[in-house]
Amino acid sequence: WRRRQAYHIAKRMKGAKVYYSRMQHKYGNRISMDEVHDLAASKMQAIWKGKQARKARADLLKEKDKAAKTWAAVKIQRLARGRQARKKVQADKNEKKMKRLAGFFKSGCFLKCWMTWVKFTDEAAHFKEV
């Protein structure tokens, strides 16, 4: 168990040693190990905060995209239902007109008027000079 633990610690420290050596190479001998630790902690915090910010932005974009899709679906439904309602109103109007017209044709008044009209138009056609 201790051997495995030591192996894992050494493996973790390998990356840390590389980071420490890079920092010392960058800053020279002007920097102490404590300052390297502070720089490493700052770097880790910056990486973590950046990851959180990217995740929050991705979530925000997902929500925005979802809202846009919902709005588009509502718009399509609204247009379709409006068109459907206008067609129904027009059909109802036409049906009402046809009922009134049928009632007019069935009445004796129409027949009398139509016969008179035919009579006068026929007479007018006979007296018309060509």
Side-chain angles (χ1 to χ4, degrees):
W1 180 80
R2 296 234 185 251
R3 192 174 293 158
R4 193 169 359 125
Q5 187 179 17
Y7 168 76
H8 287 299
I9 290 172
K11 193 172 179 183
R12 267 188 268 138
M13 287 304 291
K14 185 176 182 184
K17 285 179 184 176
V18 170
Y19 183 76
Y20 294 147
S21 65
R22 282 185 189 161
M23 288 296 121
Q24 283 185 340
H25 179 71
K26 183 177 180 181
Y27 294 108
N29 289 331
R30 297 175 288 149
I31 192 166
S32 69
M33 277 306 245
D34 290 334
E35 291 171 333
V36 171
H37 284 291
D38 292 341
L39 287 172
S42 298
K43 184 68 176 175
M44 285 187 271
Q45 287 174 353
I47 289 170
W48 178 250
K49 286 179 182 178
K51 184 178 179 181
Q52 283 182 323
R54 285 188 295 276
K55 185 180 177 190
R57 177 148 172 80
D59 291 343
L60 183 68
L61 289 175
K62 281 181 187 176
E63 282 295 319
K64 194 174 182 182
D65 187 41
K66 187 177 179 182
K69 285 180 182 178
T70 303
W71 181 82
V74 168
K75 175 91 172 177
I76 291 169
Q77 287 174 353
R78 188 171 57 209
L79 291 172
R81 288 178 182 157
R83 182 171 184 231
Q84 191 177 25
R86 286 189 297 276
K87 282 174 76 174
K88 185 175 178 350
V89 166
Q90 189 64 40
D92 290 346
K93 274 185 180 179
N94 289 342
E95 185 181 345
K96 201 177 209 182
K97 279 183 188 177
M98 292 306 284
K99 282 183 180 177
R100 285 179 60 207
L101 193 59
F104 177 68
F105 284 145
K106 286 179 185 175
S107 72
C109 176
F110 166 73
L111 192 55
K112 226 186 245 183
C113 292
W114 185 69
M115 292 298 282
T116 309
W117 178 77
V118 167
K119 182 176 146 187
F120 284 120
T121 53
D122 282 345
E123 288 175 5
H126 290 297
F127 293 115
K128 194 173 186 182
E129 292 182 21
V130 180

